[in-house]
Amino acid sequence: MATPNSHTVGTAVNRIDGTQKVTGQAKYAAEHLSERKPLVGWLVASDTAVGKITSLDPSNAEQAEGVHAVITYKNAGPLKPFSKPANESRFTQSRAVLNEPYVRHFGAPVALVVADTLEQARYAASLVKFTIDSETPDLLKHFDEATLTPDSLDGGFEPDATSGEPPTSNDIAYAIDSTYSTPSQISAAMETHATIAQFNGDKLEVFCSVQIVASAVEALAITLEMDADNIVVKSPFVGGGFGSKLGLHYDAILACIGARYLKRAVKVVLSRRQVFYNTPHRGHSTQKIKLAANSENMLLSIIHKSAMPKAKGYEFAEATGAGARVTYKSQYIESSHKVKDVDLPLIDSTRSPGDAIGSLAFESAIDELAHKAGVDPLTFRIKNLPIVHPMKGVPFTTHNLGECLRQGAQRFNWQHKPQPSSGKRIGHGVASAMRMNVLVESAAQVEVDAHGAVTVRTDMTDIGTGTYTILAQIAADTLSTSVDSITVKLGDSRDPASCGSGGSFGAASTGSAVKRACEALIDTIRSRLPSELSNANLSIEEGELKARANTEADQGDSADSSNTNNVERYFSVLDYIPDTAFPLAATGKISEDDSSDDEQYSCGAHFAEVEVDEYTGEVRLLRQYGMFSAGQILNVKTASSQIKGGMVWGAGYALTEGIHHHEDTASFINPDFGEYHIAVNRDIAEVSLDFLEEPDYAASPVGAKGIGELGITGAGAAIANAIFDATGVRVRAFPITMDKIIQG
């Protein structure tokens, strides 16, 4: 463990919450209140996509053993209509369910059965009788059906953007016009969505699995028509979120409705199949891409057009064209996004919104153009790198994509392939990754007691990425102490509000707030010390607060002033501040105003090596490698784990993942892990990476930029490009399965 005088930020510090997790002491959403054994709720799901409930008979279920209530739209109590008020964000609008005799999508709750045990609730749910007058569901089946322009895109991007002048046909030497498609996808967090809710008088206490706590409080207050001051949300440990837990969903609302109705604690845990329908998923995309280059292999034109579904009543549209706007310079760039309102479950952020599926198509198309021009795809990318933002002309705070590509290629041993075995072909692929960085308003409180024990408090969440640890590291370094001296408290709405986890903004934003709070605490302590120690360096060593300052030491009786030297001495803070004055606390805040106006992006280069069977089309990943630049890396170990996880997701997007739709019922053919194929150990081979560290203090006070979604952005495209390199087959409909390769 680090000593007080050493720096832990940037090193590989083990997770401080690791022991709690492996010994079962870390409580996830469904594990709270275990000593009180809350009642269990189980939802009755609709068997049609959209329509009006014409009959609903819960009587048999109400008489079943152990059942305390069957809650329907008839007795759920006051709820603000779904997605209202319109001026709220999608995370704070009402998430009402069971508030009307109308079903918005297949699998939506028709009733909630609350019983003593899970078995009783599930059995009783099967006894609820209902009929729905179903309507033909609206779906997006063809590109041209998406005619609506969304108000804005996720991440704050404008839906349509254009820069420059289109080239003339005489200037164009090479061009492609291709259509790529990606399927619907699910976040697939290991911990399913779960909530326990209870009322203590007028106070509602909610234990849930959510990425952004502050907006969860607002959503509950709006949905249940309550005062936000009477709601406490706790989410200390989140077993993966990946966008699906940015906001609250039906499990939370149903648990709260049940608790309000019965005046008892109620737990609702969604099954894996229920998660597919009652939490967000990613909609399928069709991306039309036109690229053109001149005889010198310089890009002249980038045109990227996207069509995607949008769930009715829920404003979310992905920026699939974000990469096309920023990765390469071009004389002309056009990016547009269209959507169609559909009768599907919520469509929202899913494992790197926009960038992940946008890069699948765009980086494959860039590769396609390079091959058509007869140029090495790595060389083509490096040749077309921008110096400033290609569309805005604004400088980047830092931009290391070129070095990621160059150094990454060298370490990967680009295009130096092993000898293939009989019937096998080896291919290499490369793709670029650009992910915007933002600093989001956050706050934290830091407190120290008389014995030097430090407590950090913020409502920030840890979704498995290491937030507990990196915040402890930042506090330890700022306060000149060891990580052992720091206790981090997360996920409680009563603590200062943070940005939450998501969008690659959590670590830098909340970490900067913690740093500011520590600096404010140091100022608070100094203000109580004598004037000669007002600028002293503070540290915490062996349970003691110490002030270190330079003082004069007399070297003899000579009048010569040269006999007087400055000597560094340590003083105990408790000699000047009584222990009764402790604990001392300070708050730190951060906002987007603490960040540069220049363009901020994390970047990286992905490389992949594949082996393809000539007879079956089976693809075997041999290697995935990445080189990444994301400012100051706060913890090499947790950052590497997070990036590697993203690279594995990229493999899933390229090769295995996809929700398939029944078009007549708008249901999913494969709403479980038996048929929705996530990449598993056998699908993955060697995954390795390196970082190009360059602290970017223009981006955040801690010098860090986002990495959460950098690992997946471009990873799948590198694999797709490697498959083409091996086979000469360009599959444009993801995932790339054996039949598509053989057909090609």
Side-chain angles (χ1 to χ4, degrees), residues 558-578:
S558 169
D560 188 349
S561 62
S562 63
N563 289 333
T564 302
N565 295 325
N566 285 332
V567 176
E568 192 172 63
R569 291 182 176 176
Y570 286 85
F571 303 88
S572 174
V573 169
L574 291 181
D575 290 342
Y576 304 97
I577 304 177

Side-chain angles (χ1 to χ4, degrees), residues 185-527:
Q185 296 157 339
I186 197 77
S187 288
M190 184 178 294
E191 177 200 27
T192 65
H193 294 242
T195 302
I196 299 176
Q198 67 173 354
F199 276 86
N200 291 318
D202 293 334
K203 297 283 186 180
L204 172 62
E205 188 174 36
V206 180
F207 300 92
C208 58
S209 190
V210 67
Q211 294 173 235
I212 305 176
V213 168
S215 60
V217 173
E218 292 183 61
L220 289 173
I222 289 171
T223 304
L224 300 170
E225 299 184 332
M226 289 181 59
D227 187 336
D229 291 339
N230 286 332
I231 299 173
V232 175
V233 170
K234 296 181 181 181
S235 188
F237 292 98
V238 180
F242 319 130
S244 73
K245 296 176 184 174
L246 286 168
L248 293 180
H249 299 292
Y250 294 157
D251 58 293
I253 306 307
L254 292 172
C256 291
I257 292 172
R260 181 171 66 179
Y261 185 83
L262 291 167
K263 305 297 188 290
R264 295 274 302 274
V266 173
K267 174 167 67 175
V268 175
V269 180
L270 299 185
S271 71
R272 186 64 64 185
R273 277 180 166 255
Q274 290 170 346
V275 165
F276 272 75
Y277 289 115
N278 293 284
T279 69
H281 71 290
R282 164 179 275 135
H284 60 282
S285 78
T286 302
Q287 301 175 52
K288 293 183 177 293
I289 300 175
K290 295 181 181 181
L291 304 176
N294 62 19
S295 58
E296 297 178 351
N297 303 315
M298 301 300 297
L299 278 165
L300 296 177
S301 177
I302 296 173
I303 300 175
H304 182 285
K305 297 182 178 181
S306 174
M308 293 189 72
K310 182 177 77 69
K312 288 183 179 178
Y314 195 71
E315 297 301 317
F316 174 80
E318 293 204 84
T320 50
R325 298 180 183 185
V326 72
T327 310
Y328 306 106
K329 62 184 176 183
S330 177
Q331 174 182 318
Y332 178 72
I333 300 176
E334 178 186 343
S335 169
S336 64
H337 298 76
K338 299 295 183 182
V339 296
K340 178 184 178 181
D341 285 331
V342 297
D343 295 312
L344 285 174
L346 293 189
I347 296 172
D348 207 326
S349 300
T350 303
R351 284 189 269 163
S352 188
D355 300 280
I357 59 172
S359 65
L360 274 174
F362 180 64
E363 283 295 316
S364 295
I366 288 290
D367 209 73
E368 193 174 345
L369 182 64
H371 279 284
K372 188 167 186 177
V375 182
D376 178 271
L378 173 69
T379 303
F380 186 86
R381 284 172 168 82
I382 293 174
K383 190 178 182 69
N384 285 281
L385 292 178
I387 298 174
V388 297
H389 191 288
M391 299 192 76
K392 300 178 181 178
V394 177
F396 296 99
T397 55
T398 58
H399 189 274
N400 290 323
L401 180 56
E403 283 306 300
C404 287
L405 287 164
R406 294 184 191 95
Q407 294 189 36
Q410 184 176 9
R411 298 188 189 189
F412 178 77
N413 210 12
W414 170 249
Q415 294 295 35
H416 294 279
K417 304 169 191 172
Q419 185 68 30
S421 58
S422 177
K424 309 290 186 183
R425 296 186 185 185
I426 304 295
H428 280 182
V430 61
S432 301
M434 290 286 284
R435 171 65 190 174
M436 72 167 188
N437 181 74
V438 291
L439 201 64
V440 179
E441 184 173 343
S442 295
Q445 182 195 66
V446 178
E447 177 186 278
V448 63
D449 69 15
H451 304 291
V454 177
T455 303
V456 176
R457 291 186 176 88
T458 171
D459 78 353
M460 179 64 178
T461 52
D462 190 327
I463 59 175
T465 51
T467 306
Y468 280 99
T469 308
I470 61 172
L471 296 187
Q473 289 176 258
I474 292 169
D477 284 7
T478 310
L479 296 173
S480 296
T481 187
S482 68
V483 172
D484 291 336
S485 301
I486 312 295
T487 299
V488 179
K489 302 286 188 180
L490 299 180
D492 191 322
S493 64
R494 295 169 295 185
D495 291 329
S498 73
C499 59
S501 298
S504 297
F505 49 65
S509 300
T510 308
S512 295
V514 169
K515 181 178 175 65
R516 289 276 175 87
C518 291
E519 292 169 343
L521 180 60
I522 291 171
D523 290 341
T524 298
I525 295 172
R526 283 174 175 167
S527 69

